[in-house]
Amino acid sequence: MQLPYAEPFRIKMVETIKRSTREEREQWIKDAKYNLFNLKSEQVFVDLLTDSGTGAMSDKQWSEMMIGDESYAGASSFYKMKDAIKNILGFDYFLPTHQGRAAENVLFSVLVKEGDIVPGNSHFDTTKGHIEYRKATAVDCTIDEAFDTTIQHDFKGNINLEKLEKTFNDYPMAKIPMVIVTVTCNSSGGQPVSMQNIKDVHALCKKYGTLVMFDSARFAENAYFIKKREAGYADKSIKEIVKEMYTYADAMTMSSKKDAIVNMGGFIGFKDEDLYKQASVFGIIFEGFVTYGGMSGRDMNALAQGLDEGTEFPFLESRVEQVAYLGNKLKEYGVPVQEPFGGHAIFVDAKRFLPHLPKENFVAQTLAVELYLEGGVRGVEIGAILADRDPVTRENRYPALELLRLAIPRRTYTNNHMDYIAASLKNVFDRKEGITSGVKILKEAPIMRHFTVELDRL
Ligand SMILES: *Cc1c(COP(=O)(O)O)cnc(C)c1O
């Protein structure tokens, strides 16, 4: 028989987590105003809020922490990170930042002006936030297949080239500073972009004269899917595929809390020295001097090591296959999940789970609350609350998909936890007809409301 995808590591240190009773959880979620971001982590048994910064570092990363160089300027840790970025991603210039959105803030301070248009594939919420904050517009050019969770498509993160070219024709190119290719596409379900699509987007951008920027949080998972699914890549290593992907990028922003397996950190990679120099000015204002940019030396060391470990096939295989293990369990139970499974998370299709709830009742958020009540499992809404209001009309935006995201932290939970999560969700599924109301908004922030929104049950 085929051997299972056992983890290519063993556990050296453990952290206790506690189960709770349904009565306790009823009180806690009420106190949290039905916003799972407001729960204390000790009120959560299995935390799938995000895979961002929640992974387990390796013994080698912890060793690197001990030899971090905390010099203000020119630290050896900076050069370690520089070498890793050059060797693994191929960028000559980089700026460290404290996390991914900080990288966006610094880079977009140079590139994005009021009235600009920034096409891309399902822009991530912070990315969109940084575009809209500058009074520019994000135009989503993702292929239509991405918005039907039942369609099987190997690369649902792909950009539709006709939509992209139409955007190029609809606006003066001077207003389109870059195209953002998100690898993998977080908001549309952790879906990858094919190498062919990356090549085609790059060719179109060069024909029209604009930059290609990769939003890179899960670039290694993207490379894993290219290896598994795209013709011609089966025999290439992840590192070879990653190198090739980035030959088609002018710049990248990185949330290192994802595929570089650190708890905090980010960076911007540049091919062009001039763009690097312009961005350095904002890097210094917002983040810190160019050789640390909001990061400790020890964290830069761990990041450099994490980039190497995160682009190793055995690790990626066990990670992505653990996510698929959960997805398959849920499918067995009849729970509607997005397919194919994403790299970092399983996305439950809340509209198909609770078809009787109107969209105004925030379907995915309702499901997230029910899953928490059932098993103390914390997922996150990727739906109308996250989609926020239209910046001009201030109307609620109701996205095509209402998803409950179950993000799996790297190297953190075992498959027993996956079984626990699946059983919890099955129990909710079995009583779904009894879930007849939903939630309403009491209070919300003007931008990125999902973090702080206060809700009540209808
Ligand atoms: C997480 C993420 C970001 C933002 O990074 P932070 O480190 O959370 O600031 C940007 N883009 C994508 C695709 C992400 O997944």
Side-chain angles (χ1 to χ4, degrees), residues 406-455:
L406 306 173
I408 311 300
R410 292 164 186 75
R411 308 190 289 208
T412 303
Y413 292 112
T414 67
N415 282 5
N416 273 336
H417 291 110
M418 300 304 122
D419 291 342
Y420 179 92
I421 300 156
S424 301
L425 206 51
K426 180 188 189 302
N427 288 348
V428 179
F429 195 60
D430 288 346
R431 61 175 174 79
K432 60 184 184 299
E433 275 82 23
I435 303 167
T436 52
S437 54
V439 293
K440 63 174 181 202
I441 294 179
L442 295 178
K443 255 195 201 164
E444 62 182 282
I447 194 164
M448 300 195 71
R449 64 180 179 183
H450 56 288
F451 288 123
T452 52
V453 69
E454 294 184 7
L455 303 161

Short mmCIF file of all heavy atoms in Angstrom, two decimals, residues 406-455:
data_model
loop_
_atom_site.label_atom_id
_atom_site.label_comp_id
_atom_site.label_asym_id
_atom_site.label_seq_id
_atom_site.Cartn_x
_atom_site.Cartn_y
_atom_site.Cartn_z
N LEU A 406 -10.56 27.48 7.23
CA LEU A 406 -9.90 26.74 8.31
C LEU A 406 -8.43 26.68 7.92
O LEU A 406 -8.01 25.83 7.13
CB LEU A 406 -10.49 25.33 8.41
CG LEU A 406 -12.03 25.27 8.56
CD1 LEU A 406 -12.52 23.83 8.48
CD2 LEU A 406 -12.48 25.91 9.88
N ALA A 407 -7.65 27.62 8.43
CA ALA A 407 -6.23 27.71 8.05
C ALA A 407 -5.41 26.83 8.97
O ALA A 407 -5.57 26.86 10.19
CB ALA A 407 -5.76 29.16 8.14
N ILE A 408 -4.54 26.04 8.39
CA ILE A 408 -3.76 25.08 9.18
C ILE A 408 -2.35 25.63 9.42
O ILE A 408 -1.59 25.82 8.47
CB ILE A 408 -3.67 23.72 8.44
CG1 ILE A 408 -5.06 23.25 7.96
CG2 ILE A 408 -3.02 22.68 9.35
CD1 ILE A 408 -6.09 23.05 9.06
N PRO A 409 -2.00 25.92 10.66
CA PRO A 409 -0.64 26.37 10.96
C PRO A 409 0.40 25.31 10.56
O PRO A 409 0.10 24.11 10.57
CB PRO A 409 -0.66 26.57 12.48
CG PRO A 409 -2.09 26.78 12.83
CD PRO A 409 -2.85 25.91 11.87
N ARG A 410 1.58 25.76 10.20
CA ARG A 410 2.62 24.84 9.74
C ARG A 410 3.28 24.09 10.91
O ARG A 410 3.67 24.72 11.90
CB ARG A 410 3.70 25.62 8.98
CG ARG A 410 3.20 26.20 7.66
CD ARG A 410 4.12 27.27 7.11
NE ARG A 410 3.52 27.88 5.92
CZ ARG A 410 2.49 28.75 5.95
NH1 ARG A 410 1.98 29.14 7.11
NH2 ARG A 410 1.97 29.23 4.84
N ARG A 411 3.39 22.78 10.78
CA ARG A 411 4.12 21.92 11.73
C ARG A 411 3.57 22.03 13.15
O ARG A 411 4.32 21.90 14.11
CB ARG A 411 5.64 22.28 11.73
CG ARG A 411 6.27 22.31 10.35
CD ARG A 411 7.79 22.41 10.36
NE ARG A 411 8.35 23.68 10.76
CZ ARG A 411 9.54 24.15 10.34
NH1 ARG A 411 10.26 23.44 9.50
NH2 ARG A 411 9.99 25.30 10.75
N THR A 412 2.28 22.30 13.31
CA THR A 412 1.73 22.63 14.63
C THR A 412 0.74 21.60 15.17
O THR A 412 0.81 21.22 16.34
CB THR A 412 1.07 24.02 14.57
OG1 THR A 412 2.04 24.96 14.13
CG2 THR A 412 0.51 24.46 15.91
N TYR A 413 -0.20 21.17 14.34
CA TYR A 413 -1.22 20.23 14.79
C TYR A 413 -1.02 18.86 14.13
O TYR A 413 -0.45 18.76 13.05
CB TYR A 413 -2.63 20.75 14.46
CG TYR A 413 -3.02 21.98 15.25
CD1 TYR A 413 -3.17 23.22 14.63
CD2 TYR A 413 -3.24 21.90 16.63
CE1 TYR A 413 -3.53 24.35 15.36
CE2 TYR A 413 -3.60 23.03 17.37
CZ TYR A 413 -3.74 24.24 16.73
OH TYR A 413 -4.10 25.35 17.46
N THR A 414 -1.54 17.81 14.82
CA THR A 414 -1.44 16.45 14.28
C THR A 414 -2.73 16.09 13.54
O THR A 414 -3.72 16.84 13.60
CB THR A 414 -1.23 15.43 15.41
OG1 THR A 414 -2.44 15.40 16.19
CG2 THR A 414 -0.06 15.80 16.30
N ASN A 415 -2.72 14.94 12.90
CA ASN A 415 -3.93 14.53 12.19
C ASN A 415 -5.07 14.17 13.15
O ASN A 415 -6.23 14.17 12.75
CB ASN A 415 -3.63 13.37 11.23
CG ASN A 415 -2.98 13.90 9.96
OD1 ASN A 415 -2.67 15.09 9.86
ND2 ASN A 415 -2.76 13.02 8.99
N ASN A 416 -4.76 13.89 14.43
CA ASN A 416 -5.83 13.73 15.41
C ASN A 416 -6.60 15.03 15.54
O ASN A 416 -7.83 15.04 15.71
CB ASN A 416 -5.28 13.37 16.80
CG ASN A 416 -5.09 11.87 16.94
OD1 ASN A 416 -5.75 11.09 16.24
ND2 ASN A 416 -4.21 11.47 17.84
N HIS A 417 -5.90 16.15 15.48
CA HIS A 417 -6.58 17.45 15.51
C HIS A 417 -7.45 17.62 14.27
O HIS A 417 -8.55 18.16 14.34
CB HIS A 417 -5.57 18.60 15.61
CG HIS A 417 -4.86 18.65 16.93
ND1 HIS A 417 -3.53 18.34 17.07
CD2 HIS A 417 -5.31 18.98 18.16
CE1 HIS A 417 -3.19 18.47 18.34
NE2 HIS A 417 -4.25 18.85 19.03
N MET A 418 -6.94 17.15 13.13
CA MET A 418 -7.74 17.25 11.90
C MET A 418 -9.04 16.45 12.06
O MET A 418 -10.11 16.90 11.66
CB MET A 418 -6.95 16.73 10.67
CG MET A 418 -5.65 17.46 10.37
SD MET A 418 -5.82 19.24 10.13
CE MET A 418 -4.71 19.85 11.41
N ASP A 419 -8.94 15.26 12.69
CA ASP A 419 -10.14 14.45 12.92
C ASP A 419 -11.11 15.18 13.85
O ASP A 419 -12.33 15.13 13.67
CB ASP A 419 -9.75 13.11 13.56
CG ASP A 419 -9.00 12.21 12.58
OD1 ASP A 419 -9.07 12.45 11.36
OD2 ASP A 419 -8.32 11.28 13.05
N TYR A 420 -10.56 15.84 14.85
CA TYR A 420 -11.39 16.58 15.81
C TYR A 420 -12.15 17.72 15.12
O TYR A 420 -13.35 17.91 15.34
CB TYR A 420 -10.48 17.13 16.93
CG TYR A 420 -11.24 17.93 17.97
CD1 TYR A 420 -11.73 17.32 19.13
CD2 TYR A 420 -11.46 19.29 17.80
CE1 TYR A 420 -12.43 18.05 20.07
CE2 TYR A 420 -12.16 20.03 18.73
CZ TYR A 420 -12.65 19.41 19.87
OH TYR A 420 -13.35 20.14 20.80
N ILE A 421 -11.42 18.45 14.27
CA ILE A 421 -12.04 19.57 13.54
C ILE A 421 -13.17 19.05 12.65
O ILE A 421 -14.27 19.60 12.63
CB ILE A 421 -10.99 20.27 12.63
CG1 ILE A 421 -9.83 20.84 13.46
CG2 ILE A 421 -11.63 21.36 11.79
CD1 ILE A 421 -8.53 21.01 12.66
N ALA A 422 -12.87 17.97 11.93
CA ALA A 422 -13.85 17.41 10.99
C ALA A 422 -15.10 16.94 11.74
O ALA A 422 -16.23 17.18 11.30
CB ALA A 422 -13.23 16.27 10.19
N ALA A 423 -14.89 16.31 12.90
CA ALA A 423 -16.03 15.82 13.69
C ALA A 423 -16.87 16.99 14.19
O ALA A 423 -18.11 16.95 14.19
CB ALA A 423 -15.54 14.96 14.86
N SER A 424 -16.21 18.06 14.61
CA SER A 424 -16.94 19.24 15.10
C SER A 424 -17.82 19.81 14.00
O SER A 424 -18.99 20.14 14.21
CB SER A 424 -15.96 20.33 15.56
OG SER A 424 -15.13 19.84 16.59
N LEU A 425 -17.23 19.92 12.80
CA LEU A 425 -17.99 20.51 11.70
C LEU A 425 -19.11 19.58 11.24
O LEU A 425 -20.19 20.04 10.86
CB LEU A 425 -17.03 20.84 10.54
CG LEU A 425 -17.48 21.96 9.61
CD1 LEU A 425 -17.87 23.22 10.35
CD2 LEU A 425 -16.38 22.29 8.61
N LYS A 426 -18.87 18.27 11.34
CA LYS A 426 -19.93 17.32 10.98
C LYS A 426 -21.13 17.49 11.91
O LYS A 426 -22.27 17.47 11.48
CB LYS A 426 -19.42 15.88 11.07
CG LYS A 426 -20.49 14.87 10.69
CD LYS A 426 -20.09 13.44 10.94
CE LYS A 426 -21.10 12.46 10.36
NZ LYS A 426 -22.46 12.63 10.89
N ASN A 427 -20.83 17.68 13.19
CA ASN A 427 -21.93 17.87 14.15
C ASN A 427 -22.74 19.12 13.83
O ASN A 427 -23.96 19.12 13.95
CB ASN A 427 -21.38 17.95 15.58
CG ASN A 427 -20.91 16.59 16.07
OD1 ASN A 427 -21.18 15.58 15.43
ND2 ASN A 427 -20.19 16.58 17.19
N VAL A 428 -22.06 20.19 13.42
CA VAL A 428 -22.79 21.41 13.02
C VAL A 428 -23.62 21.11 11.77
O VAL A 428 -24.78 21.51 11.66
CB VAL A 428 -21.82 22.58 12.74
CG1 VAL A 428 -22.59 23.82 12.30
CG2 VAL A 428 -20.97 22.90 13.97
N PHE A 429 -23.02 20.36 10.84
CA PHE A 429 -23.70 20.03 9.58
C PHE A 429 -24.98 19.24 9.87
O PHE A 429 -26.02 19.47 9.26
CB PHE A 429 -22.76 19.23 8.68
CG PHE A 429 -23.21 19.14 7.26
CD1 PHE A 429 -23.39 20.29 6.49
CD2 PHE A 429 -23.45 17.91 6.66
CE1 PHE A 429 -23.81 20.21 5.16
CE2 PHE A 429 -23.87 17.82 5.34
CZ PHE A 429 -24.05 18.97 4.59
N ASP A 430 -24.88 18.33 10.83
CA ASP A 430 -26.04 17.49 11.16
C ASP A 430 -27.19 18.30 11.76
O ASP A 430 -28.34 17.87 11.71
CB ASP A 430 -25.63 16.37 12.14
CG ASP A 430 -24.78 15.31 11.46
OD1 ASP A 430 -24.75 15.30 10.20
OD2 ASP A 430 -24.13 14.51 12.17
N ARG A 431 -26.89 19.47 12.35
CA ARG A 431 -27.97 20.27 12.95
C ARG A 431 -28.19 21.59 12.21
O ARG A 431 -28.71 22.55 12.76
CB ARG A 431 -27.67 20.52 14.44
CG ARG A 431 -26.38 21.27 14.73
CD ARG A 431 -26.24 21.58 16.22
NE ARG A 431 -24.95 22.16 16.56
CZ ARG A 431 -24.62 23.45 16.37
NH1 ARG A 431 -25.48 24.28 15.84
NH2 ARG A 431 -23.43 23.89 16.70
N LYS A 432 -27.77 21.62 10.92
CA LYS A 432 -27.79 22.90 10.20
C LYS A 432 -29.19 23.49 10.03
O LYS A 432 -29.34 24.72 10.04
CB LYS A 432 -27.10 22.78 8.83
CG LYS A 432 -27.72 21.77 7.87
CD LYS A 432 -26.88 21.68 6.62
CE LYS A 432 -27.49 20.77 5.57
NZ LYS A 432 -27.65 19.36 6.01
N GLU A 433 -30.22 22.63 9.92
CA GLU A 433 -31.58 23.17 9.74
C GLU A 433 -32.01 23.99 10.94
O GLU A 433 -32.85 24.88 10.83
CB GLU A 433 -32.61 22.05 9.50
CG GLU A 433 -32.71 21.63 8.04
CD GLU A 433 -31.63 20.63 7.64
OE1 GLU A 433 -31.10 19.95 8.56
OE2 GLU A 433 -31.30 20.55 6.43
N GLY A 434 -31.42 23.69 12.10
CA GLY A 434 -31.75 24.42 13.32
C GLY A 434 -31.09 25.80 13.39
O GLY A 434 -31.40 26.59 14.28
N ILE A 435 -30.16 26.08 12.47
CA ILE A 435 -29.48 27.39 12.47
C ILE A 435 -30.28 28.32 11.56
O ILE A 435 -30.13 28.30 10.33
CB ILE A 435 -28.01 27.25 11.99
CG1 ILE A 435 -27.27 26.25 12.88
CG2 ILE A 435 -27.31 28.61 11.99
CD1 ILE A 435 -25.94 25.79 12.33
N THR A 436 -31.16 29.08 12.14
CA THR A 436 -32.14 29.80 11.33
C THR A 436 -31.95 31.30 11.31
O THR A 436 -32.61 31.99 10.55
CB THR A 436 -33.58 29.52 11.83
OG1 THR A 436 -33.59 29.79 13.23
CG2 THR A 436 -33.96 28.07 11.59
N SER A 437 -31.06 31.84 12.17
CA SER A 437 -30.96 33.29 12.17
C SER A 437 -29.67 33.77 11.52
O SER A 437 -29.55 33.81 10.31
CB SER A 437 -31.13 33.84 13.58
OG SER A 437 -30.23 33.22 14.47
N GLY A 438 -28.69 34.14 12.32
CA GLY A 438 -27.46 34.72 11.77
C GLY A 438 -27.04 35.84 12.67
O GLY A 438 -27.44 35.89 13.84
N VAL A 439 -26.21 36.74 12.14
CA VAL A 439 -25.73 37.85 12.97
C VAL A 439 -25.94 39.19 12.25
O VAL A 439 -26.14 39.24 11.04
CB VAL A 439 -24.22 37.69 13.31
CG1 VAL A 439 -24.00 36.50 14.22
CG2 VAL A 439 -23.37 37.57 12.05
N LYS A 440 -25.91 40.25 13.08
CA LYS A 440 -26.01 41.61 12.50
C LYS A 440 -24.89 42.46 13.10
O LYS A 440 -24.37 42.16 14.19
CB LYS A 440 -27.37 42.22 12.82
CG LYS A 440 -27.62 42.40 14.31
CD LYS A 440 -28.90 43.14 14.60
CE LYS A 440 -29.06 43.29 16.11
NZ LYS A 440 -30.39 43.50 16.59
N ILE A 441 -24.52 43.52 12.37
CA ILE A 441 -23.44 44.39 12.82
C ILE A 441 -23.96 45.44 13.79
O ILE A 441 -24.95 46.11 13.51
CB ILE A 441 -22.76 45.07 11.60
CG1 ILE A 441 -22.06 44.03 10.74
CG2 ILE A 441 -21.77 46.15 12.06
CD1 ILE A 441 -21.37 44.57 9.50
N LEU A 442 -23.26 45.56 14.93
CA LEU A 442 -23.59 46.63 15.89
C LEU A 442 -22.66 47.83 15.68
O LEU A 442 -23.08 48.97 15.72
CB LEU A 442 -23.45 46.13 17.32
CG LEU A 442 -24.41 45.03 17.79
CD1 LEU A 442 -24.08 44.63 19.22
CD2 LEU A 442 -25.87 45.47 17.67
N LYS A 443 -21.36 47.53 15.49
CA LYS A 443 -20.35 48.58 15.37
C LYS A 443 -19.28 48.12 14.41
O LYS A 443 -18.91 46.95 14.40
CB LYS A 443 -19.66 48.76 16.74
CG LYS A 443 -20.07 49.99 17.51
CD LYS A 443 -19.07 50.22 18.62
CE LYS A 443 -19.67 51.07 19.73
NZ LYS A 443 -18.87 50.99 20.94
N GLU A 444 -18.75 49.06 13.61
CA GLU A 444 -17.68 48.67 12.68
C GLU A 444 -16.75 49.83 12.40
O GLU A 444 -17.14 51.00 12.48
CB GLU A 444 -18.28 48.15 11.37
CG GLU A 444 -19.11 49.19 10.62
CD GLU A 444 -19.74 48.63 9.35
OE1 GLU A 444 -19.04 48.50 8.34
OE2 GLU A 444 -20.96 48.35 9.40
N ALA A 445 -15.50 49.50 12.07
CA ALA A 445 -14.49 50.50 11.72
C ALA A 445 -14.66 50.89 10.25
O ALA A 445 -15.23 50.13 9.47
CB ALA A 445 -13.09 49.92 11.95
N PRO A 446 -14.18 52.07 9.86
CA PRO A 446 -14.36 52.52 8.47
C PRO A 446 -13.57 51.72 7.44
O PRO A 446 -13.90 51.72 6.26
CB PRO A 446 -13.89 53.98 8.49
CG PRO A 446 -13.06 54.12 9.71
CD PRO A 446 -13.56 53.11 10.69
N ILE A 447 -12.49 51.06 7.85
CA ILE A 447 -11.72 50.23 6.91
C ILE A 447 -11.23 48.98 7.65
O ILE A 447 -10.96 49.03 8.85
CB ILE A 447 -10.55 51.04 6.27
CG1 ILE A 447 -9.98 50.33 5.05
CG2 ILE A 447 -9.45 51.35 7.28
CD1 ILE A 447 -9.11 51.23 4.16
N MET A 448 -11.16 47.85 6.96
CA MET A 448 -10.75 46.57 7.54
C MET A 448 -11.53 46.26 8.82
O MET A 448 -10.98 45.92 9.86
CB MET A 448 -9.24 46.57 7.80
CG MET A 448 -8.47 46.80 6.51
SD MET A 448 -6.75 46.41 6.62
CE MET A 448 -6.86 44.63 6.71
N ARG A 449 -12.83 46.34 8.68
CA ARG A 449 -13.72 46.23 9.84
C ARG A 449 -13.72 44.87 10.51
O ARG A 449 -14.10 44.74 11.68
CB ARG A 449 -15.15 46.56 9.39
CG ARG A 449 -15.71 45.56 8.38
CD ARG A 449 -17.13 45.94 7.96
NE ARG A 449 -17.66 45.00 6.98
CZ ARG A 449 -18.85 45.14 6.42
NH1 ARG A 449 -19.63 46.17 6.74
NH2 ARG A 449 -19.28 44.26 5.54
N HIS A 450 -13.31 43.82 9.76
CA HIS A 450 -13.49 42.45 10.28
C HIS A 450 -12.71 42.19 11.57
O HIS A 450 -13.11 41.37 12.38
CB HIS A 450 -13.09 41.41 9.22
CG HIS A 450 -11.71 41.57 8.69
ND1 HIS A 450 -11.36 42.61 7.85
CD2 HIS A 450 -10.58 40.86 8.89
CE1 HIS A 450 -10.08 42.48 7.55
NE2 HIS A 450 -9.57 41.44 8.17
N PHE A 451 -11.60 42.91 11.76
CA PHE A 451 -10.80 42.68 12.98
C PHE A 451 -11.54 43.13 14.25
O PHE A 451 -11.36 42.53 15.29
CB PHE A 451 -9.46 43.43 12.88
CG PHE A 451 -8.50 42.81 11.91
CD1 PHE A 451 -7.99 43.56 10.87
CD2 PHE A 451 -8.11 41.49 12.02
CE1 PHE A 451 -7.09 43.01 9.96
CE2 PHE A 451 -7.22 40.92 11.12
CZ PHE A 451 -6.71 41.68 10.08
N THR A 452 -12.30 44.20 14.14
CA THR A 452 -12.85 44.80 15.36
C THR A 452 -14.38 44.85 15.38
O THR A 452 -14.96 45.36 16.34
CB THR A 452 -12.33 46.24 15.50
OG1 THR A 452 -12.59 46.94 14.28
CG2 THR A 452 -10.84 46.26 15.79
N VAL A 453 -15.02 44.36 14.32
CA VAL A 453 -16.48 44.48 14.23
C VAL A 453 -17.15 43.87 15.47
O VAL A 453 -16.69 42.89 16.04
CB VAL A 453 -16.97 43.81 12.93
CG1 VAL A 453 -16.81 42.29 12.98
CG2 VAL A 453 -18.41 44.19 12.62
N GLU A 454 -18.23 44.52 15.92
CA GLU A 454 -19.03 43.99 17.03
C GLU A 454 -20.36 43.53 16.45
O GLU A 454 -21.02 44.26 15.72
CB GLU A 454 -19.24 45.07 18.10
CG GLU A 454 -17.92 45.44 18.76
CD GLU A 454 -18.09 46.43 19.91
OE1 GLU A 454 -19.23 46.75 20.29
OE2 GLU A 454 -17.04 46.86 20.42
N LEU A 455 -20.73 42.30 16.82
CA LEU A 455 -21.93 41.69 16.24
C LEU A 455 -22.87 41.24 17.34
O LEU A 455 -22.50 41.12 18.51
CB LEU A 455 -21.53 40.46 15.41
CG LEU A 455 -20.52 40.70 14.27
CD1 LEU A 455 -19.88 39.39 13.85
CD2 LEU A 455 -21.20 41.36 13.08
#
